[in-house]
Amino acid sequence: MLVKSYAAALDGINAIIVTIEVNCSRGIRFFLVGLPDNAVKESHERIVSALQVNGYKFPRNQIVINMSPADIRKEGTAYDLPLAIGIMAAAEQIKPDKIGDYILMGELSLDGTLQPIKGALPIAIKAKEAGFKGIILPKANSLEAAVVEGLTVYGVNNICEVVDFFNEGKEPECVSVDAHATFFERQFSYDFDFSEVKGQENVKRALEIAASGGHNILLIGAPGSGKSMMIKRIPSILPPLTLNEALETTKIHSVAGKIDGNTSLMTQRPFRSPHHTISNVAMVGGGGYPQPGEISLAHNGVLFLDEFPEFNRNVLEVLRQPLEDRKISISRAKQCVDYPAGFMLAASMNPCPCGYYNHPEKTCVCPPGSVQKYINRISGPLLDRIDIQVEIIPVPFEKISDRQPAESSEQIRKRVIAARKIQEERYRNEKNIYCNAQMNSRLLHKYAQLDSSCLSLLRTAMERLCLSARAYDRILKVSRTIADMDQSEQIHSNHIAEAINYRNLDRESWGQ
């Protein structure tokens, strides 16, 4: 008897429907075709054990299984459930009437319990697009899949529940989630707040500008000056995720297996902070079985690189293209996968190997030339993509001991949202442009025009401070954001002056 069950394969952060054709006929052999990997081939042993433990019989016939489309590689253990149900239906142990109405996914333990899978959300989205009535998957993934409206989601613990559903009509627990209510309920819950930061008003201002325009930022300062502490609070002042951004972010983390059983939808912008020993593949994604890297896991959020110069130079250089294109293409001999990578880069570093160059109280003990050599670990083209570079001075004792609470993240976030709304309106007709940091040369000439006084100030600053030519566009972008924060249509000289102050590493005198 020939029976078809349905599953799904992941392709990047999207899913492809896989038709599992099972033919049970006279004979004793078992064939599994359709480009399965070793994990899929090993499903035979797991299925045999799961059926025997639960009182079912594995058919003593010839079984031929084809996983279509056969030119797409099937990877992982999530095909155990659809394979087992297809085999039982082909052997007439299960009624096949309703099998074609559902997507089946789940890894089987030897006792028949179902283990969590990766990519439940994109699979559920594809099931709805393809017109399936519902999806049956492990209970641990049910909340994640239930975000998709108009799709019946059954979370099951054991293969027996699935068999009883198809044979006797005993429906498992149907899981439903109010995505909108869940989204807005947890949207403004943060672990860190700027009210806890003492002093450093100039750095807070720079971080607010970076959040308002989506600019990449680099903080340079001595150990203990508060660089990491303040960067960890950036998500609390960024505009909240939209529902579409939340769905896209959740899809990426679902494919990477980063969603736990208690989470249905990611409601906060991601904050990723990889260690400086990270490899190229872990940063950009890929591997034998392509997975999203840190830059994709930080999509719609913040990628924090602490101890910036300590990262392998090759790892830093692979960031250059994603910073411009906001996506990464992983190309392999048999597969090409695209992952989104629209993140805000925030980095921190010491000014020199000993950490005390330009410190107001401690003396730098680095030998001559070592400061510049330390800075040169970061290439010019990468620094060119960092709009704001701020030097931090340690907080004095009077500020640290002050018990007066500082301005809260909520107050700062309101100003950031107001500035972002101006930019959304400005770029509403531009494709893939949402904030000032993404402006190209054409948009710079259109929206960052300078009058004669601003041009004169910028020319003087570049000559006297020995600013590099690459700083010109960055200053214009940052000044455009500062003007938006002041609700100003035109860029004025005070906006240009403040933007110039955020180009510390472009000064030729740095490290001399």
Side-chain angles (χ1 to χ4, degrees):
M1 183 177 178
L2 177 63
V3 173
K4 295 182 180 180
S5 61
Y6 296 91
L10 294 175
D11 181 31
I13 62 170
N14 299 309
I16 300 171
I17 299 299
V18 174
T19 303
I20 297 177
E21 303 168 317
V22 184
N23 186 31
C24 191
S25 59
R26 294 182 61 183
I28 57 171
R29 302 189 66 182
F30 181 88
F31 299 95
L32 178 58
V33 298
L35 211 58
D37 71 350
N38 286 334
V40 180
K41 293 176 182 177
E42 292 169 353
S43 64
H44 176 268
E45 282 69 29
R46 292 191 293 272
I47 293 170
V48 170
S49 176
L51 296 184
Q52 289 177 346
V53 169
N54 289 281
Y56 305 111
K57 292 182 179 180
F58 192 86
R60 296 181 178 179
N61 302 92
Q62 177 168 289
I63 299 173
V64 180
I65 303 175
N66 178 45
M67 306 179 75
S68 175
D71 60 338
I72 296 176
R73 187 167 180 79
K74 319 304 183 304
E75 301 168 346
T77 56
Y79 298 100
D80 290 359
L81 181 61
L83 288 170
I85 296 301
I87 290 171
M88 295 181 73
E92 301 183 357
Q93 297 182 39
I94 290 181
K95 298 176 183 177
D97 305 348
K98 298 187 293 184
I99 291 178
D101 295 335
Y102 298 90
I103 292 286
L104 303 168
M105 296 297 291
E107 175 189 340
L108 285 174
S109 296
L110 295 184
D111 62 356
T113 57
L114 290 175
Q115 301 298 324
I117 63 170
K118 294 181 180 180
L121 179 57
I123 291 171
I125 292 173
K126 186 63 179 180
K128 182 183 177 182
E129 291 175 355
F132 285 89
K133 183 178 179 180
I135 179 172
I136 301 174
L137 74 173
K139 196 166 187 176
N141 300 112
S142 58
L143 284 177
E144 181 186 338
V147 170
V148 182
E149 296 179 353
L151 184 73
T152 302
V153 177
Y154 292 122
V156 296
N157 293 311
N158 192 285
I159 191 174
C160 295
E161 297 178 40
V162 185
V163 175
D164 291 343
F165 172 57
F166 287 126
N167 277 346
E168 303 175 18
K170 295 181 180 179
E171 289 195 10
E173 179 184 357
C174 184
V175 183
S176 61
V177 171
D178 188 338
H180 289 82
T182 302
F183 177 66
F184 291 110
E185 178 185 350
R186 307 174 185 173
Q187 204 171 25
F188 297 106
S189 176
Y190 299 100
D191 295 329
F192 304 105
D193 195 280
F194 269 98
S195 61
E196 304 156 352
V197 179
K198 307 296 183 181
Q200 302 291 14
E201 300 303 326
N202 64 319
V203 183
K204 291 181 187 176
R205 169 70 175 176
L207 292 172
E208 181 180 341
I209 294 170
S212 297
H215 302 288
N216 302 319
I217 185 169
L218 172 63
L219 302 185
I220 311 110
S225 56
K227 304 184 295 295
S228 301
M229 179 189 66
M230 285 185 282
I231 287 179
K232 288 177 181 178
R233 285 159 173 76
I234 291 179
S236 69
I237 64 172
L238 288 172
L241 286 169
T242 65
L243 190 55
N244 286 336
E245 286 177 332
L247 283 169
E248 185 180 31
T249 305
T250 307
K251 282 173 66 177
I252 297 170
H253 286 251
S254 174
V255 169
K258 304 292 184 181
I259 303 292
D260 60 50
N262 299 319
T263 302
S264 58
L265 187 67
M266 293 186 64
T267 57
Q268 296 180 6
R269 294 189 179 275
F271 182 88
R272 305 294 300 181
S273 180
H275 192 262
H276 60 77
T277 56
I278 189 173
S279 67
N280 294 18
V281 172
M283 181 67 82
V284 302
Y289 303 110
Q291 290 286 303
E294 288 293 334
I295 62 174
S296 295
L297 294 172
H299 181 63
N300 291 324
V302 179
L303 177 66
F304 175 36
L305 302 184
D306 199 7
E307 304 297 343
F308 201 33
E310 302 300 332
F311 281 78
N312 186 293
R313 189 181 180 94
N314 292 333
V315 172
L316 294 180
E317 292 307 300
V318 300
L319 294 174
R320 287 160 53 177
Q321 181 259 339
L323 282 171
E324 291 291 331
D325 298 342
R326 299 175 64 81
K327 68 176 183 179
I328 183 71
S329 296
I330 309 297
S331 298
R332 298 292 182 265
K334 296 181 180 179
Q335 188 177 13
C336 182
V337 178
D338 291 333
Y339 292 117
F343 59 91
M344 173 183 168
L345 176 64
S348 67
M349 59 178 286
N350 295 329
C352 65
C354 80
Y356 296 107
Y357 177 75
N358 275 355
H359 195 281
E361 298 175 358
K362 297 185 178 181
T363 304
C364 175
V365 296
C366 298
S370 62
V371 177
Q372 190 61 46
K373 184 178 180 181
Y374 186 73
I375 299 298
N376 287 343
R377 293 184 184 181
I378 309 168
S379 69
L382 182 57
L383 279 177
D384 183 39
R385 290 161 171 80
I386 300 178
D387 301 345
I388 299 176
Q389 305 159 4
V390 185
E391 189 175 2
I392 301 180
I393 303 300
V395 182
F397 175 79
E398 292 75 14
K399 289 286 186 180
I400 297 176
S401 59
D402 186 6
R403 296 189 177 183
Q404 187 71 21
E407 188 177 31
S408 69
S409 293
E410 182 180 2
Q411 295 171 294
I412 301 173
R413 186 170 61 245
K414 289 179 180 178
R415 298 195 296 267
V416 171
I417 292 173
R420 283 288 184 105
K421 285 182 178 178
I422 294 174
Q423 296 166 51
E424 288 174 8
E425 179 65 21
R426 177 184 298 138
Y427 306 124
R428 67 183 184 278
N429 296 324
E430 302 291 340
K431 186 177 180 181
N432 296 327
I433 303 291
Y434 309 104
C435 56
N436 291 330
Q438 300 169 357
M439 282 195 293
N440 52 34
S441 298
R442 176 180 61 83
L443 295 176
L444 269 177
H445 285 100
K446 184 176 181 180
Y447 296 116
Q449 296 180 1
L450 304 181
D451 58 23
S452 57
S453 61
C454 291
L455 283 172
S456 176
L457 174 63
L458 185 53
R459 181 184 300 109
T460 301
M462 294 189 71
E463 291 174 353
R464 291 187 178 181
L465 300 177
C466 299
L467 296 177
S468 64
R470 68 173 179 262
Y472 179 80
D473 283 356
R474 305 295 163 178
I475 290 174
L476 289 184
K477 291 181 180 181
V478 174
S479 61
R480 176 68 269 172
T481 298
I482 299 172
D484 290 340
M485 294 171 66
D486 288 346
Q487 308 288 312
S488 173
E489 184 66 29
Q490 297 295 323
I491 297 176
H492 300 300
S493 54
N494 61 310
H495 304 144
I496 289 289
E498 185 174 2
I500 290 170
N501 285 330
Y502 297 135
R503 300 299 301 180
N504 289 47
L505 292 185
D506 276 330
R507 301 176 183 177
E508 289 188 356
S509 60
W510 179 272
Q512 300 297 323

